[in-house]
Amino acid sequence: MTVKKILKIILCIFGALVILLLAAVGFFVYLLDYQVRTVDQAESPDGTYELLLQSVGSPLFFSSADGRLVLKQGKEKIAERDFTLYDDGGSVRADIWQVTWLQEFVRIRISGSEQNDEWIEITYDGKFFSQYPARKGTETEAEAGTEQEAETGAEAAAKQEKEQAYGEEESEGTAEQTYGEEESEGTAEQTYGEGEAAQLSEQQEEGETYSAEELEEAAEEQHMNQQLKQLKIKKGYWTIYDTCFQEEGYSFTEDYDAKGNSRAILKEDETSVEYLVYDRESPNGLCGLYVYYRAPRAADGSWSPMDAEILDIYAYVYAGDSVISSGKTGWSDAGSEEYRDATGE
């Protein structure tokens, strides 16, 4: 056998090994990044729609996992939505989601040990609204922000318009705080709430002065606290709905009054509207207090909170993520003993 033939054989073997290696790498990359598997599915109560939970690839060690939601009507795919799961290296599986079928859309809650819950709402015509989570221990959910890619209808438009017009105002009985961060010639201007402004003014009158950096840090801290409070309020709405109203067939529609204060419409018909409103924090600071109202509709279909009656007042307990009904139908009512113990009233 000549040297030339030997070299050819060696090259062929080497080429075959390279091909096998590339194929193995390609297969590994496919499994890691591209393989799509359906891990769970949910069907609407009337059997019209089917929602698939799919994993896309596989997490590497303790990395995040990619998932996909697919809404189908029969064999037709209506919508497809990708998401990322932060769950200490856990894969996308059946126990990380919760599905609620509502009249106009399906609501999905994605839960992971390293993230706040992610809410995804997909309408039956294929459009969606998503609230993205934050990694726990890093940025807040408010910093991560919300994405509104395809909201439609009067509710979505009104919500966006009111949020832009009013910002994040607290509901009745709480102080309003407005923050801005307008940079000018290397410094930042902040507009504080009345309490913060009065405190800074009093301290400056006593001879204390603050640099632009200190003022900016104070504004950022106050802004962060306000964002976290709004998230806590929103979580209270959903927890009360899940605990007290979902199984009774009530809907959940986020709404805002003329001042931009949030509320949740739970039930409405031709004669009345039932809704939930965040009122204030409990005296001991351990609960959020929410009032359940019913307002009658006028002949023209309009209604006013001024005419509403109280059906109950709920305490959302922060520590246990639980709900306590007070049984109160008036502001002067004492409420249940459990409610009083939890709220400090």
Side-chain angles (χ1 to χ4, degrees):
M1 184 178 294
T2 64
V3 175
K4 188 174 181 181
K5 288 184 177 180
I6 293 174
L7 290 175
K8 283 184 178 180
I9 293 173
I10 292 174
L11 289 174
C12 289
I13 294 174
F14 180 76
L17 291 175
V18 170
I19 292 173
L20 289 174
L21 179 61
L22 291 176
V25 170
F27 182 68
F28 178 75
V29 171
Y30 168 75
L31 292 179
L32 193 63
D33 294 331
Y34 300 105
Q35 184 185 33
V36 177
R37 295 181 297 109
T38 298
V39 298
D40 200 10
Q41 60 188 40
E43 188 176 271
S44 63
D46 61 2
T48 302
Y49 301 97
E50 181 183 28
L51 186 66
L52 305 180
L53 174 65
Q54 298 179 333
S55 64
V56 181
S58 301
L60 182 63
F61 301 111
F62 297 100
S63 64
S64 60
D66 294 323
R68 179 174 297 161
L69 298 168
V70 179
L71 180 63
K72 300 176 65 178
Q73 184 176 15
K75 295 183 178 180
E76 180 186 358
K77 182 169 69 175
I78 299 175
E80 181 178 287
R81 180 66 172 174
D82 292 336
F83 65 90
T84 301
L85 174 70
Y86 298 97
D87 194 32
D88 198 24
S91 60
V92 174
R93 57 198 184 279
D95 62 0
I96 61 96
W97 76 334
Q98 178 181 348
V99 180
T100 303
W101 296 95
L102 299 172
Q103 184 175 357
E104 298 180 355
F105 56 88
V106 57
R107 176 180 295 121
I108 306 98
R109 177 194 290 178
I110 305 295
S111 302
S113 62
E114 294 183 301
Q115 69 178 52
N116 294 314
D117 288 349
E118 176 177 359
W119 298 88
I120 301 174
E121 295 175 355
I122 307 176
T123 63
Y124 299 129
D125 58 358
K127 298 169 185 176
F128 48 80
F129 168 77
S130 300
Q131 170 96 25
Y132 284 85
R135 294 288 301 279
K136 291 183 178 178
T138 56
E139 60 182 351
T140 65
E141 187 174 0
E143 287 178 305
T146 58
E147 176 177 328
Q148 193 171 4
E149 296 187 24
E151 276 190 327
T152 59
E155 176 188 344
K159 175 183 175 182
Q160 185 177 21
E161 180 181 349
K162 289 172 182 176
E163 284 179 340
Q164 292 172 348
Y166 298 103
E168 296 179 344
E169 297 182 5
E170 293 183 15
S171 63
E172 297 177 6
T174 61
E176 296 180 355
Q177 296 179 318
T178 307
Y179 303 91
E181 296 181 355
E182 300 177 357
E183 295 186 359
S184 175
E185 299 180 359
T187 63
E189 278 184 299
Q190 286 82 27
T191 304
Y192 299 92
E194 294 180 1
E196 178 72 8
Q199 181 181 1
L200 289 175
S201 176
E202 181 180 349
Q203 290 174 339
Q204 288 178 344
E205 286 177 0
E206 294 176 355
E208 297 183 31
T209 58
Y210 300 89
S211 65
E213 290 78 9
E214 289 174 326
L215 290 173
E216 186 172 1
E217 288 177 3
E220 288 177 355
E221 183 178 357
Q222 288 291 100
H223 182 65
M224 178 70 69
N225 291 336
Q226 183 70 4
Q227 294 278 31
L228 291 174
K229 183 172 184 179
Q230 293 299 321
L231 289 173
K232 191 181 293 185
I233 291 172
K234 185 171 183 179
K235 188 175 182 181
Y237 276 118
W238 282 110
T239 304
I240 293 172
Y241 169 73
D242 290 343
T243 304
C244 304
F245 296 98
Q246 182 179 6
E247 292 185 358
E248 301 299 323
Y250 286 71
S251 61
F252 186 102
T253 303
E254 293 183 15
D255 192 36
Y256 297 83
D257 63 19
K259 295 182 179 180
N261 299 321
S262 64
R263 61 191 177 194
I265 306 297
L266 302 173
K267 182 180 181 181
E268 53 183 330
D269 53 32
E270 295 180 354
T271 61
S272 64
V273 177
E274 297 181 16
Y275 60 99
L276 192 67
V277 174
Y278 171 77
D279 183 62
R280 66 189 186 282
E281 197 166 63
S282 63
N284 59 13
L286 301 179
C287 309
L289 305 183
Y290 296 74
V291 186
Y292 175 32
Y293 289 103
R294 179 169 57 210
R297 282 191 184 275
D300 60 0
S302 62
W303 61 278
S304 171
M306 299 296 293
D307 302 324
E309 61 175 324
I310 298 174
L311 299 180
D312 204 344
I313 297 179
Y314 296 96
Y316 166 57
V317 184
Y318 302 143
D321 198 31
S322 59
V323 178
I324 299 174
S325 168
S326 69
K328 298 171 63 171
T329 58
W331 294 111
S332 59
D333 295 349
S336 64
E337 182 178 355
E338 182 184 11
Y339 173 85
R340 297 196 304 272
D341 291 341
T343 61
E345 290 189 353

